[in-house]
Amino acid sequence: QVQLVESGGDLVQPGGSLRLSCVASGSVFSIDVMGWYRQATGQQRELVATVTRGGSTNYADSVKGRFTISRDNAKALVYLQMNNLKPEDTAVYYCYADVRQRGAARDYDYWGQGTQVTVSS
């Protein structure tokens, strides 16, 4: 089995910064895409940012220029540096990974349990 554990969520004032972290553990052979999604109350889950094993990134238009995604392949870690946070960034942030387990024939999607980010004065 594979587990994704997020950390770093908090209450922050508008204009502030936070750094989210997510580590994958368990029977991990390789990880292709890692990323972050978020879900605000009453809204659908939406893409925030993704990063491939090779370092190619993709961002939602709403966070471009403010958020930066990065990963450490050796440690199965993915980070989300969030700057200039706005109240509309308030949501539960979920880590995502496309994982190939040892001995598996294909990749499977895994999700973390979520970490709350609240932007408010």
Side-chain angles (χ1 to χ4, degrees), residues 8 14-15 19 50 52-53 69 74 82 98 108-109 118-119:
R19 188 194 197 204
T50 60
T52 68
R53 174 196 294 277
I69 190 169
M82 304 185 292
D98 185 22
Y108 291 87
D109 296 343
T118 303
V119 184

Side-chain angles (χ1 to χ4, degrees), residues 7 11 23 28 38 73 75 77 84-85 89:
S7 61
L11 169 64
V23 60
V28 176
R38 67 187 181 186
N73 289 330
K75 297 180 180 178
L77 278 160
N84 190 22
L85 282 159
D89 294 318

